[in-house]
Amino acid sequence: MNNLLKIALPKGRLGEKVYKMFDAAGFSCPEVLEDTRKLIFENRDKGVCFFWVKPSDVAIYVERGAADIGIAGKDILLEYSPDVFELLDLKVGKCRMAVAGKKGFKDNTENTLRVATKFVNIASDYYRKLGRDIDIIKLNGSIELAPILNLSDVIVDIVETGKTLIENDLEPLETIVPISARLIANRSSYQFKNERINTLLDRLKEQLEA
């Protein structure tokens, strides 16, 4: 397997969409899209090995060298700052990191702002740059509940369509940063498998420019 280009794909629709881009770039392994419980797929003729991992784990596999390259959301890269090369914005999986709160919420800057989020570092960095005093409340799911139940004043979370916010009488207040899927590479792999990685990179760029 060491001779193959090891590629970590995020499970789900995003991973399937990105795989099709890899396929079009000549890095194919049709078995990837078959209905199977397998997690690792090899095509030795094409010199590639794909495997499915949880989206939030892709950067770990790449940073640690279990994968040479992978697809990670910009939110993961900002939150955890993995020691990897960010090679390309793939322009898919687009959404945004945003501050949201109850409709009509007005921030009283005389009080500490209570912020519920699972993106602690992104939220902290954002409000630090604003000079705003905050109390971070780390949650792992159902973030929208926090302001509804008065656990927090606002939330910092990924917003795609905003439908979930609207259905819970919340609204986006500020955009922190746009988010999309990025091609990342292990630093050592980028040195030793540079030719193959750059060939893939060039072909993906051609698709994006087409």
Side-chain angles (χ1 to χ4, degrees):
M1 189 184 292
N2 287 335
N3 295 325
L4 305 178
L5 186 63
K6 297 173 291 183
I7 305 170
L9 291 173
K11 291 180 180 177
R13 288 179 299 171
L14 175 61
E16 292 173 6
K17 185 179 293 187
V18 171
Y19 168 73
K20 290 175 182 177
M21 295 176 69
F22 283 24
D23 185 12
F27 290 73
S28 61
C29 183
E31 192 182 4
V32 167
L33 296 181
E34 291 180 3
D35 185 13
T36 173
R37 290 184 178 273
K38 282 183 64 177
L39 296 175
I40 301 176
F41 309 89
E42 296 182 7
N43 184 341
R44 293 189 174 274
D45 290 338
K46 297 291 185 179
V48 293
C49 170
F50 290 95
F51 47 92
W52 294 111
V53 299
K54 187 177 179 179
S56 57
D57 289 341
V58 170
I60 298 172
Y61 279 83
V62 174
E63 181 179 35
R64 297 280 183 164
D68 299 310
I69 60 175
I71 308 303
K74 184 63 176 178
D75 54 311
I76 299 298
L77 303 181
L78 290 172
E79 179 65 19
Y80 300 106
S81 300
D83 186 20
V84 298
F85 286 131
E86 182 179 331
L87 301 179
L88 184 65
D89 181 352
L90 293 171
K91 310 294 185 184
V92 294
K94 290 185 177 182
C95 51
R96 57 186 168 131
M97 186 68 64
V99 179
K102 292 179 181 177
K103 289 181 179 178
F105 171 79
K106 301 295 182 185
D107 183 9
N108 182 353
T109 56
E110 293 182 2
N111 298 328
T112 298
L113 185 68
R114 298 172 302 158
V115 182
T117 187
K118 61 181 176 181
F119 298 99
V120 171
N121 292 326
I122 292 175
S124 298
D125 289 345
Y126 175 69
Y127 282 107
R128 187 182 303 117
K129 291 173 183 175
L130 294 177
R132 186 70 173 92
D133 184 29
I134 64 170
D135 174 20
I136 289 280
I137 302 165
K138 174 122 176 28
L139 297 177
N140 296 306
S142 301
I143 309 292
E144 295 84 5
L145 272 175
I148 296 171
L149 298 179
N150 202 34
L151 176 65
S152 73
D153 300 307
V154 297
I155 63 174
V156 168
D157 203 8
I158 291 175
V159 175
E160 190 170 357
T161 64
K163 184 178 179 182
T164 302
L165 294 176
I166 293 170
E167 290 180 350
N168 288 284
D169 292 322
L170 304 176
E171 63 182 0
L173 303 173
E174 305 156 43
T175 294
I176 296 177
V177 65
I179 301 294
S180 57
R182 310 298 169 101
L183 177 68
I184 60 174
N186 174 271
R187 290 182 176 274
S188 178
S189 297
Y190 190 67
Q191 178 181 355
F192 291 104
K193 298 182 180 181
N194 184 270
E195 184 176 347
R196 275 185 285 173
I197 292 174
N198 277 331
T199 296
L200 171 61
L201 185 60
D202 289 342
R203 291 177 183 174
L204 290 174
K205 285 179 179 177
E206 288 174 3
Q207 290 183 50
L208 296 175
E209 294 167 359

